[in-house]
Amino acid sequence: MEKLLYIALFAPLVGSLFAAMYGNTPKKLITGLFTSTMLGLSMIASLILLFWTMTGNVVHVRMLDWIVIGGVDVPFGFIVDQVSAVMMVVVTIVSTMVHIHSIGYMDHDRSFNRFFSYLSAFVFSMMILVMSDNFLGLFIGWEGVGLCSWLLIGFWYHKGDKPLVKDIHNSPFSTLSPHSSISPAFAANEAFITNRVADLGMLVGIFIIYWNLGTFQYDEVFANIGSLSTTTIVAIAIFLFIGAMGKSAQFPFNQWLANAMEGPTPVSALIHAATMVTAGVYLVIRANEIFTIVPEVGMFIAGLGAFVAIFAASQALVATNMKKIIAFSTLSQLGYMFVAAGLGAYWVALFHLAMHAFFKSVLFLGAGNVMHAMNDEINIKKMGGLFKHMPKTGTIMIIASIALAGIFPLAGFFSKDLILEVAFGTHSYIIWGVLWLTAGLTAFYSFRLIMYVFFGKEKYHEYGYHPHETYGFVIAAMAPLAILSIVAGWTKGSYVHMITDVLPPLNIHLDSSTAWTLIVITTAIVIAGIALAVFKYRKNNSYFGEQMKDRFCYKLLANQYYMPHFFENVVLKPYLAMSRFSWKEIDLKIVDTIVDAIAKSIYSTGSEGRVIQTRNLSTALRWMAAGLLVLVVLSILLVSYK
């Protein structure tokens, strides 16, 4: 099993390095095929390891020593238990299909080889994060994921002409609209910098762990965490969660996620379904033994998750950028996951993470198919009637949307219903109410997108588009994910039996009548949301109507609650003004003046002292005598002082 662990871990790295050898050369199909094959090997190894762990087995290896200084002993160690095995399977299945899909999506891109090198490195970094047996190794994977996301979000850095705030009065957000976009370079830097701020919090949490326990190893930390004071544990939990907030785009670190849509669509599928944004949820699940001790922090996590769920879902109601609608959906579903984790239902959070990965990846890949068919158009109001041209893509996206909405018997129903049961069963009725309302909004905006894109009045003729279905192998790559969106939830029984050996079981007690009532109520609002969307948009009618566009509610949602404007005016502009002041008044007038003065004084001293270099022996002897006299005088003074 140790060999399988290494195959699962290093196969993506081999693929990345192979593609990197051809990074600056014209497209080579072999790079796409080879990297996809390596991901396939990693997927097979991960599946075998998952079945191995289902019987209670654990694979734990210490590959080599890493940091050995004094009392510090940090190895490159990896563990495959039930939790990491589930994550490995989710990551590799989605990543393999995304790689195959990308062969078609990036077919005509001039940087085809470079893209696959970055994409495989992204997966390798996530595998390091998931499989590490210590917090420091997790942090290495954590930062690797951040670096690769920066490379991939900004992959088309040459597109767009909006810079990183070159002038205090010229901001990328100055012309914000519901379907506005920014340059990939800005989006990449925004995501990278935002996550670096949050990662500092995580690093502080890891430092506190080592300062108090003297180890980074999971098993040693979790075995001794109870010996620390409550205040220290609270600090550790808070700082670790700050890191999770950044990676999983929880408020107020949420702004980067929607803007990250500027990268290639397969990248969006990978970020939202299997890699970057799921890392924060995984951290909380992996460190559950820390968060369990401080339920107050857990309640804060759950409350913030519920807020983010409805906060993001409401923005998707009026968005016209197809990829951003799906991105807001991801943000909302991450809120669901954090609610479950915050309320102590860690295995439920992991279950929803897995189910969400399958149908969300399909939605993004389907959006990529639509964009290819529409010359990269992303405004859903310019589409309509595409189903007759793209029936396979349309069918798959409808299946994924039903799963996202949570309709029985698709995957989303099983995991989302469990989260609502957890909220109700722990007497968190306000959180339950928010999630229940969000479920209705999710169903509505999901089918609003479907109706605008695939049904209703055909608008694409007006813009000269000629839609068509994508390559057959691209549809074949999406098919397994669509099937899993249907059947993955049926594995709930065996999953619960396996995962509760590692994660704590649910501590809620709902009688069957209450549980069924909750299911009926939730299903009712979901069906109502779908029906309303189908009715209102069957002919591309506007839900708000043209007259609503001037009203405050529409403007609030269309402008993302003015959060971009807030960051621009409260963070970006003051920071830029402070930087300019520091540059002009401190750096130039003080620092540079001092440095220049020191340099000038040294130079002038050298110039004045140059006169002693006359090459005359008598002059040299006189200077030596003078120096000797000075030394004698100083020696006498020192002796008399003592």
Side-chain angles (χ1 to χ4, degrees), residues 624-642:
M624 290 172 63
L628 182 62
L629 177 63
V630 171
L631 290 175
V632 170
V633 172
L634 289 175
S635 300
I636 293 171
L637 291 174
L638 287 172
V639 170
S640 15
Y641 176 77
K642 292 180 178 179

Side-chain angles (χ1 to χ4, degrees), residues 78-269:
F78 303 98
I79 185 170
V80 178
D81 59 4
Q82 289 87 336
V83 174
S84 56
V86 170
M87 282 296 297
M88 289 165 60
V89 168
V90 170
V91 170
T92 53
I93 289 178
V94 173
S95 301
T96 301
M97 302 310 153
V98 167
H99 272 69
I100 297 173
H101 181 279
S102 299
I103 295 174
Y105 188 88
M106 302 297 291
D107 184 34
H108 302 293
D109 195 281
R110 63 184 182 183
S111 299
F112 181 90
N113 304 326
R114 179 167 60 91
F115 176 81
F116 278 93
S117 179
Y118 292 168
L119 203 65
S120 292
F122 201 5
V123 180
F124 171 67
S125 298
M126 188 64 184
M127 295 295 278
I128 288 281
L129 187 158
V130 167
M131 298 172 67
S132 178
D133 68 349
N134 63 82
F135 281 101
L136 207 55
L138 178 144
F139 190 73
I140 295 299
W142 192 273
E143 293 304 302
V145 167
L147 172 62
C148 293
S149 69
W150 178 75
L151 293 170
L152 287 165
I153 294 170
F155 185 78
W156 288 325
Y157 59 88
H158 53 280
K159 293 185 178 180
D161 56 359
K162 293 181 180 177
L164 277 172
V165 193
K166 291 199 322 187
D167 188 85
I168 197 168
H169 301 296
N170 179 24
S171 165
F173 298 121
S174 59
T175 58
L176 189 70
S177 69
H179 51 272
S180 64
S181 62
I182 58 178
S183 71
F186 178 87
N189 282 285
E190 181 186 35
F192 190 80
I193 294 169
T194 301
N195 276 274
R196 295 296 74 72
V197 173
D199 289 353
L200 178 61
M202 180 182 174
L203 199 57
V204 170
I206 294 174
F207 174 78
I208 297 174
I209 289 173
Y210 184 79
W211 183 264
N212 287 275
L213 298 177
T215 181
F216 296 106
Q217 298 298 122
Y218 292 150
D219 52 356
E220 297 176 10
V221 170
F222 299 149
N224 297 287
I225 192 70
S227 63
L228 304 181
S229 66
T230 302
T231 303
T232 303
I233 300 173
V234 168
I236 292 172
I238 289 174
F239 281 113
L240 289 180
F241 182 62
I242 289 174
M245 288 168 65
K247 273 292 183 288
S248 295
Q250 296 298 282
F251 184 88
F253 300 107
N254 59 289
Q255 193 60 41
W256 69 266
L257 187 61
N259 291 335
M261 297 302 96
E262 297 304 318
T265 304
V267 173
S268 302

Side-chain angles (χ1 to χ4, degrees), residues 515-541:
W516 277 107
T517 301
L518 293 176
I519 292 173
V520 171
I521 293 174
T522 304
T523 303
I525 194 172
V526 168
I527 293 175
I530 294 174
L532 181 61
V534 172
F535 174 75
K536 285 294 182 180
Y537 296 108
R538 68 190 187 280
K539 294 182 180 180
N540 284 8
N541 295 324

